[in-house]
Amino acid sequence: MMSLRVCADPPLTRFDAIATAKESPRRERLLEFKELVASEYAAYQNACPDLAPMPLLPLDAQARGDLLHCYQGETQPLEHLKALIRAMQAPEQIAVCQYCALNAPGTFDHYLPESLYPQFSVYALNLMPCCGDCNQKRSTAWRNSQGERRHVHLYSDVIDQGVQVLFAEISVAETPLATFRLELGAVHTHPFYQLLRRHFTQLGLLKRYQDASFARLNEHHRTIHVLGQYSGRKGCLRVLREQLAEDRRVLGPHNWKVALLQAVLETPEFIQFALDTSPSRENEKDGT
Ligand SMILES: [Zn+2]
């Protein structure tokens, strides 16, 4: 998980452009909201990332519908905003959903759900590029029963990259199988890591990583088998350690691929299995 860069687009100008692109009389009604939207954007920015106390606005059905239409109705200024948000990000950050690090981020999640906070439906700071699976799992459940936030705000939470808390374990009983766990240890009282734990729980990440690890383990199996033939066990381990260091640097310590590769290196039974066993054609197909 890596932070996303804040889009430099002036948010009120963008709201104005989207409202202006609407047909009358919605256009005029939305433009009357400009002052309210400006003060709401300022309140959001000031509160970030601690958005849990953000109050709900008493909006009537028409006002809610108009504000939601800013996002749900297609307009050129909205498409430009989405493109700008994506263009701001480093290639490796936008290649994959930063909520899960599993899938391509083909959708935008409203961090404060648009159904509760329609005034932020086109506010760049509230729009997180993310995958469909995460978007669906987030739904409107953005706080728990204690009022605590359930998900990392990718623009404004300071994502501590110093402590590894995600680990994997590989068993080689019949077919190699990876399981994942969070171990907060000494940082279990640290607010960021408590948030990270809620984030993992709400998005079902440990199970999703387990499911994704079948294909990834097949890739490691094939790599180890081929490297072992040319470089021997020691040469193979050296390459994997270099790969792990590079993955840690690029992906950060909270990434499932880092945890899995570390587990590969710490599981001599898997290394031996991969050196001794030729990857099946089926595995090759799955892993590519
Ligand atoms: Zn995702």
Side-chain angles (χ1 to χ4, degrees):
M1 175 189 291
M2 306 294 273
S3 297
L4 295 180
R5 295 176 186 156
V6 177
C7 181
D9 188 54
L12 203 60
T13 308
R14 180 63 51 180
F15 174 80
D16 191 88
I18 291 170
T20 304
K22 301 291 178 189
E23 291 182 0
S24 286
R26 176 170 277 144
R27 179 195 306 143
E28 289 73 23
R29 291 199 303 261
L30 278 169
L31 289 173
E32 281 181 18
F33 275 121
K34 259 180 81 172
E35 212 169 300
L36 174 69
V37 166
S39 71
E40 286 292 297
Y41 285 3
Y44 188 116
Q45 192 170 17
N46 289 336
C48 251
D50 186 21
L51 293 159
M54 287 292 284
L56 300 173
L57 285 183
L59 297 166
D60 63 29
Q62 186 177 62
R64 289 174 53 79
D66 287 343
L67 289 166
L68 288 172
H69 200 268
C70 287
Y71 186 79
Q72 292 168 355
E74 282 185 23
T75 55
Q76 206 172 47
L78 174 61
E79 293 311 305
H80 282 165
L81 175 63
K82 292 178 180 175
L84 274 172
I85 292 172
R86 290 191 165 112
M88 282 295 297
Q89 314 307 325
E92 59 271 19
Q93 257 91 306
I94 199 61
V96 68
C97 169
Q98 292 300 320
Y99 279 152
C100 65
L102 284 167
N103 310 315
T107 67
F108 281 87
D109 172 53
H110 289 84
Y111 188 84
L112 292 186
E114 59 180 337
S115 58
L116 300 174
Y117 297 91
Q119 67 271 35
F120 301 122
S121 73
V122 292
Y123 184 35
L125 209 50
N126 198 46
L127 291 174
M128 312 279 167
C130 84
C131 73
D133 287 351
C134 285
N135 208 341
Q136 194 181 19
K137 283 182 186 297
R138 279 215 60 204
S139 66
T140 56
W142 73 286
R143 291 194 294 180
N144 64 15
S145 54
Q146 284 85 49
E148 299 164 317
R149 290 185 297 130
R150 280 180 147 149
H151 307 95
V152 174
H153 194 284
L154 296 170
Y155 295 120
S156 69
D157 273 307
V158 177
I159 299 175
D160 188 321
Q161 305 287 7
V163 182
Q164 183 176 357
V165 293
L166 177 63
F167 299 92
E169 197 170 332
I170 299 170
S171 74
V172 197
E174 289 180 30
T175 188
L177 175 72
T179 51
F180 290 78
R181 68 187 187 282
L182 276 181
E183 265 180 34
L184 298 196
V187 295
H188 74 282
T189 56
H190 189 293
F192 169 73
Y193 287 96
Q194 292 179 337
L195 173 62
L196 193 69
R197 177 158 53 193
R198 296 194 293 274
H199 181 101
F200 269 67
T201 303
Q202 174 68 13
L203 296 180
L205 291 182
L206 298 180
K207 177 67 168 68
R208 289 167 67 193
Y209 292 158
Q210 182 179 331
D211 293 343
S213 67
F214 286 104
R216 190 72 177 173
L217 275 179
N218 283 335
E219 288 175 33
H220 288 315
H221 181 174
R222 195 164 56 249
T223 303
I224 291 166
H225 193 77
V226 172
L227 280 174
Q229 287 180 327
Y230 291 98
S231 318
R233 184 186 179 94
K234 273 191 179 174
C236 170
L237 291 176
R238 190 175 61 244
V239 171
L240 291 179
R241 283 192 200 103
E242 286 169 5
Q243 180 69 50
L244 178 60
E246 176 66 4
D247 284 356
R248 263 209 192 100
R249 189 185 66 77
V250 175
L251 305 173
H254 312 310
N255 187 289
W256 69 280
K257 290 180 179 176
V258 171
L260 186 64
L261 183 51
Q262 180 174 317
V264 165
L265 276 159
E266 291 171 352
T267 311
E269 299 88 345
F270 178 76
I271 303 275
Q272 199 58 50
F273 168 81
L275 287 169
D276 294 345
T277 318
S278 179
S280 70
R281 292 186 65 81
E282 192 57 35
N283 286 354
E284 286 176 24
K285 201 167 61 186
D286 287 349
T288 52

